[in-house]
Amino acid sequence: MTEARTAPPAATPPADAPAPAADPPSGGRGAARPRAKAARDAEFTAFVRSDGTRLRRSAYLMCRDWHLAQDLAQHTLARMYAVWDRIREETNLRAYSRRVLMNAVFDQQRRCRGAEVVLADVPDRPDPAPGTPELRLALVDALARLPVEDRAVLVLRHAEDHSVDAVAAILGVSVPAVKMRSARALSRLRALLGEDFPDR
Amino acid sequence: MTTDLRDQFDRAVGDDPGAALDELADAAIVEGGRLRRRRRRVAAGAAAGVVAVLGAVAGLALSAEGPGADPDVTLAAAVQPVTAPSCVRQPVEIGATDAVVVLAAGATPAQRTALDAALRDDPRVGAHLFESREQAYERFRARYADNPDLVAAVGADRFPEAFRVRLDAADRYPEFRSRIAAAPGVAQVIGRRCAPDAPVGGVL
């Protein structure tokens, strides 16, 4: 079909290339010998042990569903594993994984949004008087009411403590846009959570 | 603020049912190994062939994307517009001459109209045009006419609405981008650096 990576355009192996080339174009490195695979798997597993929980939790904050979060985390990690030989040298695998995760979340917005609709439709609590902060939504419920892009900024910036610059790089938006979304999202959270929400 | 906020977020994940990380890794290795093999096959096909779909999710995300990553991701890449030949293939953050303003899936007609007006009145914008979901879909069908399976797998609803924009001055792209990216209904802004003969927006 097509190639979505922008990396080396024509350097991909021809269709009849010997099967076991592990890492497409990067010069014959690492035929998939069992030892190379074992080493790769060990390295990858170590990364999952160190970062998997945080990744799952961020996925949960994005989608408010632990099962979906597990799926998203696994999916993210699988995509990283598929290109592990290329990315393992990256200084910041964690930032890389967040980029993959957020893209997956954006792709899956419908599933995430499904959760929001359910929330919006629940009529089980009396309408609060306007302006009073007793919605008492849990933070995740309030997050679910934000646009997914704003949610991503909050999770990366405030749950995970990435710098504004890092968030901008992960999401591929400008630094001012990150600041803007963060401020907007925080003020919406404050409106939703009322006095429970720590003031700046 | 940050500390308190961190606490809140930490508490929000307090009901984490937990997961065995080694099992998670094993599952990812199995799934990822499949992606790897499929990607190799797809890459081989692409070499013989043709286009580079510049999947521009979030501008720079694509280092992560391979086609054939999985059905969903493959489609996500395939529905992205293709960078025009006279443009730099990688989207740029600064110095873009052209941009695609992708609308959010839930963008309302009113937001679209407002955006249209904003682009029309923006002195930095030389030209802009709207691409509807249906138009994007038609382009996609034409592009992949030789891949009926792919075409059959994708409906028009997969395609975002978008504005294609030509800027008058490339050095004003960052300010353009931050303004437009913040407008309601905008999912992302993807800049490209193109020769003057490129189509507006820098994509086919």
Short mmCIF file of all heavy atoms in Angstrom, two decimals, chain A residues 174 176-177 180-181 184, chain B residues 101 114-125 172-184 186 189:
data_model
loop_
_atom_site.label_atom_id
_atom_site.label_comp_id
_atom_site.label_asym_id
_atom_site.label_seq_id
_atom_site.Cartn_x
_atom_site.Cartn_y
_atom_site.Cartn_z
N SER A 174 1.99 24.18 19.12
CA SER A 174 2.93 25.21 19.54
C SER A 174 2.91 25.37 21.06
O SER A 174 1.96 24.98 21.73
CB SER A 174 2.56 26.53 18.89
OG SER A 174 1.34 27.00 19.43
N PRO A 176 2.63 28.22 22.77
CA PRO A 176 1.50 29.04 23.21
C PRO A 176 0.18 28.27 23.22
O PRO A 176 -0.66 28.48 24.09
CB PRO A 176 1.46 30.18 22.19
CG PRO A 176 2.80 30.22 21.59
CD PRO A 176 3.36 28.85 21.65
N ALA A 177 0.02 27.37 22.26
CA ALA A 177 -1.22 26.60 22.22
C ALA A 177 -1.32 25.70 23.45
O ALA A 177 -2.41 25.53 24.02
CB ALA A 177 -1.30 25.76 20.95
N MET A 180 -2.23 27.90 26.32
CA MET A 180 -3.62 28.35 26.20
C MET A 180 -4.58 27.23 26.59
O MET A 180 -5.49 27.43 27.38
CB MET A 180 -3.81 28.73 24.73
CG MET A 180 -4.74 29.86 24.51
SD MET A 180 -6.38 29.26 24.65
CE MET A 180 -6.48 28.29 23.18
N ARG A 181 -4.33 26.05 26.05
CA ARG A 181 -5.23 24.93 26.36
C ARG A 181 -5.17 24.57 27.83
O ARG A 181 -6.18 24.25 28.44
CB ARG A 181 -4.83 23.71 25.54
CG ARG A 181 -5.23 23.83 24.10
CD ARG A 181 -4.82 22.59 23.35
NE ARG A 181 -5.03 22.76 21.93
CZ ARG A 181 -4.66 21.87 21.02
NH1 ARG A 181 -4.06 20.76 21.41
NH2 ARG A 181 -4.90 22.07 19.75
N ARG A 184 -7.10 27.13 29.76
CA ARG A 184 -8.54 26.98 29.49
C ARG A 184 -9.08 25.74 30.20
O ARG A 184 -10.13 25.77 30.84
CB ARG A 184 -8.73 26.86 27.98
CG ARG A 184 -10.16 26.72 27.54
CD ARG A 184 -10.27 26.74 26.03
NE ARG A 184 -9.66 25.56 25.41
CZ ARG A 184 -9.44 25.44 24.10
NH1 ARG A 184 -9.77 26.43 23.26
NH2 ARG A 184 -8.90 24.35 23.61
N VAL B 101 -5.63 22.87 7.83
CA VAL B 101 -6.29 23.05 9.11
C VAL B 101 -7.34 21.95 9.22
O VAL B 101 -8.37 21.98 8.56
CB VAL B 101 -6.96 24.44 9.20
CG1 VAL B 101 -7.67 24.60 10.54
CG2 VAL B 101 -5.92 25.54 9.00
N ALA B 114 -17.29 30.15 11.00
CA ALA B 114 -16.47 31.15 11.69
C ALA B 114 -15.01 31.03 11.25
O ALA B 114 -14.32 32.03 11.03
CB ALA B 114 -16.59 30.97 13.20
N LEU B 115 -14.58 29.80 11.11
CA LEU B 115 -13.21 29.58 10.69
C LEU B 115 -12.98 30.07 9.27
O LEU B 115 -11.95 30.67 8.95
CB LEU B 115 -12.93 28.08 10.80
CG LEU B 115 -11.50 27.65 10.99
CD1 LEU B 115 -10.87 28.36 12.17
CD2 LEU B 115 -11.49 26.15 11.23
N ASP B 116 -13.94 29.79 8.44
CA ASP B 116 -13.87 30.24 7.06
C ASP B 116 -13.70 31.76 7.02
O ASP B 116 -12.85 32.30 6.31
CB ASP B 116 -15.14 29.80 6.32
CG ASP B 116 -15.03 30.04 4.82
OD1 ASP B 116 -13.92 29.90 4.28
OD2 ASP B 116 -16.05 30.39 4.21
N ALA B 117 -14.51 32.44 7.82
CA ALA B 117 -14.44 33.90 7.86
C ALA B 117 -13.09 34.35 8.42
O ALA B 117 -12.47 35.29 7.91
CB ALA B 117 -15.58 34.44 8.71
N ALA B 118 -12.63 33.65 9.47
CA ALA B 118 -11.35 34.03 10.07
C ALA B 118 -10.22 33.90 9.06
O ALA B 118 -9.33 34.76 8.99
CB ALA B 118 -11.08 33.17 11.30
N LEU B 119 -10.27 32.85 8.27
CA LEU B 119 -9.22 32.65 7.27
C LEU B 119 -9.32 33.70 6.17
O LEU B 119 -8.32 34.22 5.67
CB LEU B 119 -9.31 31.24 6.67
CG LEU B 119 -8.96 30.10 7.64
CD1 LEU B 119 -9.33 28.75 7.04
CD2 LEU B 119 -7.49 30.13 7.99
N ARG B 120 -10.55 34.01 5.80
CA ARG B 120 -10.74 34.99 4.74
C ARG B 120 -10.19 36.35 5.19
O ARG B 120 -9.58 37.08 4.41
CB ARG B 120 -12.24 35.10 4.40
CG ARG B 120 -12.52 35.83 3.10
CD ARG B 120 -14.02 35.93 2.85
NE ARG B 120 -14.68 36.53 4.01
CZ ARG B 120 -15.73 35.99 4.65
NH1 ARG B 120 -16.24 34.85 4.23
NH2 ARG B 120 -16.26 36.58 5.69
N ASP B 121 -10.43 36.68 6.44
CA ASP B 121 -10.04 38.01 6.93
C ASP B 121 -8.60 38.06 7.42
O ASP B 121 -8.12 39.12 7.81
CB ASP B 121 -10.97 38.42 8.08
CG ASP B 121 -12.41 38.52 7.60
OD1 ASP B 121 -12.61 38.66 6.37
OD2 ASP B 121 -13.32 38.44 8.44
N ASP B 122 -7.95 36.92 7.48
CA ASP B 122 -6.60 36.90 8.03
C ASP B 122 -5.62 37.43 6.99
O ASP B 122 -5.49 36.87 5.91
CB ASP B 122 -6.23 35.46 8.42
CG ASP B 122 -4.98 35.41 9.28
OD1 ASP B 122 -4.03 36.17 8.99
OD2 ASP B 122 -4.95 34.63 10.24
N PRO B 123 -4.91 38.51 7.32
CA PRO B 123 -4.00 39.09 6.33
C PRO B 123 -2.84 38.17 5.98
O PRO B 123 -2.18 38.36 4.96
CB PRO B 123 -3.48 40.36 7.03
CG PRO B 123 -3.69 40.12 8.48
CD PRO B 123 -4.89 39.23 8.59
N ARG B 124 -2.59 37.18 6.81
CA ARG B 124 -1.49 36.27 6.52
C ARG B 124 -1.87 35.21 5.49
O ARG B 124 -1.03 34.53 4.94
CB ARG B 124 -1.06 35.55 7.82
CG ARG B 124 -0.40 36.49 8.82
CD ARG B 124 -0.33 35.85 10.17
NE ARG B 124 -1.66 35.65 10.74
CZ ARG B 124 -1.96 35.79 12.02
NH1 ARG B 124 -1.03 36.13 12.87
NH2 ARG B 124 -3.18 35.59 12.46
N VAL B 125 -3.15 35.08 5.27
CA VAL B 125 -3.63 34.03 4.38
C VAL B 125 -3.77 34.55 2.96
O VAL B 125 -4.44 35.56 2.72
CB VAL B 125 -4.99 33.48 4.88
CG1 VAL B 125 -5.59 32.53 3.85
CG2 VAL B 125 -4.80 32.79 6.21
N ARG B 172 5.41 34.14 8.97
CA ARG B 172 4.30 34.41 9.88
C ARG B 172 3.52 33.14 10.23
O ARG B 172 2.50 33.19 10.89
CB ARG B 172 3.38 35.46 9.27
CG ARG B 172 4.13 36.76 8.95
CD ARG B 172 3.22 37.83 8.44
NE ARG B 172 2.38 38.38 9.49
CZ ARG B 172 1.43 39.28 9.27
NH1 ARG B 172 1.21 39.71 8.05
NH2 ARG B 172 0.69 39.72 10.26
N TYR B 173 4.02 32.02 9.75
CA TYR B 173 3.30 30.78 10.02
C TYR B 173 3.10 30.49 11.51
O TYR B 173 1.98 30.14 11.92
CB TYR B 173 3.98 29.60 9.33
CG TYR B 173 3.36 28.28 9.72
CD1 TYR B 173 2.06 27.96 9.32
CD2 TYR B 173 4.05 27.37 10.52
CE1 TYR B 173 1.48 26.76 9.69
CE2 TYR B 173 3.46 26.17 10.89
CZ TYR B 173 2.19 25.87 10.48
OH TYR B 173 1.61 24.69 10.87
N PRO B 174 4.15 30.64 12.34
CA PRO B 174 3.93 30.29 13.75
C PRO B 174 2.78 31.06 14.40
O PRO B 174 1.96 30.49 15.12
CB PRO B 174 5.28 30.62 14.41
CG PRO B 174 6.27 30.46 13.29
CD PRO B 174 5.56 30.95 12.07
N GLU B 175 2.72 32.35 14.13
CA GLU B 175 1.61 33.10 14.74
C GLU B 175 0.28 32.70 14.14
O GLU B 175 -0.75 32.61 14.83
CB GLU B 175 1.85 34.62 14.62
CG GLU B 175 2.37 35.05 13.26
CD GLU B 175 2.31 36.56 13.04
OE1 GLU B 175 1.23 37.15 13.18
OE2 GLU B 175 3.35 37.14 12.71
N PHE B 176 0.30 32.43 12.85
CA PHE B 176 -0.92 31.95 12.21
C PHE B 176 -1.37 30.65 12.88
O PHE B 176 -2.52 30.48 13.26
CB PHE B 176 -0.67 31.72 10.72
CG PHE B 176 -1.75 30.93 10.04
CD1 PHE B 176 -2.93 31.54 9.63
CD2 PHE B 176 -1.59 29.56 9.81
CE1 PHE B 176 -3.94 30.81 9.02
CE2 PHE B 176 -2.60 28.83 9.19
CZ PHE B 176 -3.77 29.45 8.80
N ARG B 177 -0.39 29.78 13.03
CA ARG B 177 -0.72 28.47 13.57
C ARG B 177 -1.27 28.56 14.99
O ARG B 177 -2.26 27.92 15.33
CB ARG B 177 0.52 27.59 13.55
CG ARG B 177 0.28 26.25 14.18
CD ARG B 177 1.52 25.43 14.15
NE ARG B 177 1.26 24.14 14.75
CZ ARG B 177 2.04 23.08 14.58
NH1 ARG B 177 3.10 23.16 13.83
NH2 ARG B 177 1.75 21.95 15.17
N SER B 178 -0.60 29.36 15.82
CA SER B 178 -1.09 29.36 17.19
C SER B 178 -2.48 29.98 17.28
O SER B 178 -3.28 29.57 18.11
CB SER B 178 -0.12 30.02 18.16
OG SER B 178 0.54 31.10 17.57
N ARG B 179 -2.75 30.93 16.41
CA ARG B 179 -4.08 31.52 16.46
C ARG B 179 -5.13 30.50 15.99
O ARG B 179 -6.14 30.27 16.65
CB ARG B 179 -4.12 32.76 15.57
CG ARG B 179 -5.53 33.29 15.41
CD ARG B 179 -5.57 34.70 14.85
NE ARG B 179 -6.96 35.07 14.59
CZ ARG B 179 -7.47 35.17 13.36
NH1 ARG B 179 -6.71 34.95 12.31
NH2 ARG B 179 -8.73 35.49 13.20
N ILE B 180 -4.86 29.89 14.85
CA ILE B 180 -5.87 29.00 14.28
C ILE B 180 -6.01 27.71 15.08
O ILE B 180 -7.11 27.19 15.27
CB ILE B 180 -5.52 28.70 12.81
CG1 ILE B 180 -5.62 29.98 11.97
CG2 ILE B 180 -6.44 27.65 12.24
CD1 ILE B 180 -6.99 30.61 11.93
N ALA B 181 -4.89 27.22 15.58
CA ALA B 181 -4.96 25.96 16.34
C ALA B 181 -5.82 26.11 17.58
O ALA B 181 -6.38 25.14 18.09
CB ALA B 181 -3.55 25.49 16.71
N ALA B 182 -5.92 27.34 18.06
CA ALA B 182 -6.69 27.56 19.28
C ALA B 182 -8.16 27.83 18.99
O ALA B 182 -8.97 27.90 19.92
CB ALA B 182 -6.09 28.74 20.06
N ALA B 183 -8.51 27.95 17.73
CA ALA B 183 -9.90 28.27 17.41
C ALA B 183 -10.78 27.05 17.68
O ALA B 183 -10.35 25.92 17.54
CB ALA B 183 -10.00 28.68 15.94
N PRO B 184 -12.01 27.30 18.08
CA PRO B 184 -12.91 26.18 18.36
C PRO B 184 -13.15 25.34 17.11
O PRO B 184 -13.29 25.88 16.01
CB PRO B 184 -14.22 26.85 18.81
CG PRO B 184 -13.98 28.31 18.84
CD PRO B 184 -12.63 28.61 18.29
N VAL B 186 -11.04 23.25 15.75
CA VAL B 186 -9.83 22.87 15.03
C VAL B 186 -9.14 21.72 15.76
O VAL B 186 -8.90 21.80 16.96
CB VAL B 186 -8.86 24.07 14.92
CG1 VAL B 186 -7.52 23.61 14.34
CG2 VAL B 186 -9.47 25.14 14.05
N VAL B 189 -3.26 21.79 13.09
CA VAL B 189 -2.80 22.58 11.96
C VAL B 189 -1.47 21.97 11.51
O VAL B 189 -0.56 21.80 12.32
CB VAL B 189 -2.60 24.05 12.36
CG1 VAL B 189 -2.07 24.85 11.17
CG2 VAL B 189 -3.90 24.64 12.87
#
